[in-house]
Amino acid sequence: MADDEEVVEEAEEVLGAAESETAVSPVEIEKTLDPPKYEVRPGLGEKFQAQNVRDIIESTMKEQLLERQYRADQAPRWAKTISNAVRQRVQDLNMKRYKILVQTTILEMKGAGVKCGQRCIWDPETDDYADDIFRNDSIFCYTIVYGVYMY
């Protein structure tokens, strides 16, 4: 019987503590939340700025390649430098929620033709691209920038 009395006393103490916590706790005030904002499309003036990007591509390629002759050992480094510079300058345009992808290809001019193709599945109302070509006596450079809107 002594064991039963101890169990009952412990249960009363636990219930008493729970009641005192709820009685002392502050009253919760209901806060009204703003309705969620789902941006499915870029706002007016926030779309991909293809002409500005094209100007950036052209100026960056000229800065990097204007007085150079093709060198197979240096071409990968030049391509990486151009891609990084273009990406950084395009990101400075502050096009909100756009993922920027840059691809640069440098080839030696030897009289052979080049055919390239691209296929993308995207939203034509929000996503876009800009590209440009640089040529001199020994270098052919093609850079393309994709702007994909992140929903």
Side-chain angles (χ1 to χ4, degrees):
M1 281 201 187
D3 292 333
D4 292 335
E5 290 175 8
E6 290 176 16
V7 172
V8 171
E9 289 175 9
E10 288 177 11
E12 289 175 358
E13 288 176 12
V14 171
L15 289 175
E19 288 175 3
S20 66
E21 287 176 10
T22 57
V24 177
S25 67
V27 177
E28 293 184 24
I29 300 172
E30 289 187 33
K31 296 180 183 177
T32 58
L33 298 175
D34 293 333
K37 297 177 183 176
Y38 300 105
E39 295 180 22
V40 180
R41 301 272 183 250
L44 187 62
E46 293 179 351
K47 284 193 171 189
F48 186 77
Q49 304 167 17
Q51 186 56 47
N52 292 342
V53 173
R54 196 169 287 112
D55 295 340
I56 289 171
I57 294 169
E58 180 183 3
S59 65
T60 305
M61 287 193 299
K62 282 183 181 178
E63 289 169 6
Q64 294 293 322
L65 301 174
L66 192 58
E67 299 296 325
R68 295 194 175 167
Q69 296 296 315
Y70 182 82
R71 290 181 50 192
D73 61 329
Q74 294 295 316
R77 187 173 61 83
W78 295 340
K80 189 181 288 187
T81 302
I82 291 169
S83 293
N84 288 336
V86 168
R87 183 182 48 83
Q88 184 60 47
R89 290 175 67 186
V90 169
Q91 286 178 340
D92 290 343
L93 293 175
N94 288 328
M95 292 181 282
K96 295 179 183 177
R97 300 184 67 170
Y98 272 95
K99 175 75 172 178
I100 304 299
L101 303 141
V102 181
Q103 180 181 358
T104 300
T105 305
I106 297 179
L107 303 169
E108 184 176 11
M109 293 282 280
K110 285 203 166 190
V114 175
K115 291 187 178 183
C116 297
Q118 303 156 25
R119 182 173 292 176
C120 300
I121 299 174
W122 62 20
D123 185 353
E125 293 180 19
T126 59
D127 304 334
D128 204 356
Y129 73 96
D131 61 345
D132 202 7
I133 295 171
F134 173 85
R135 291 183 207 157
N136 67 12
D137 295 338
S138 67
I139 296 175
F140 174 87
C141 181
Y142 177 71
T143 300
I144 185 166
V145 176
Y146 299 97
V148 181
Y149 190 76
M150 304 301 286
Y151 293 103

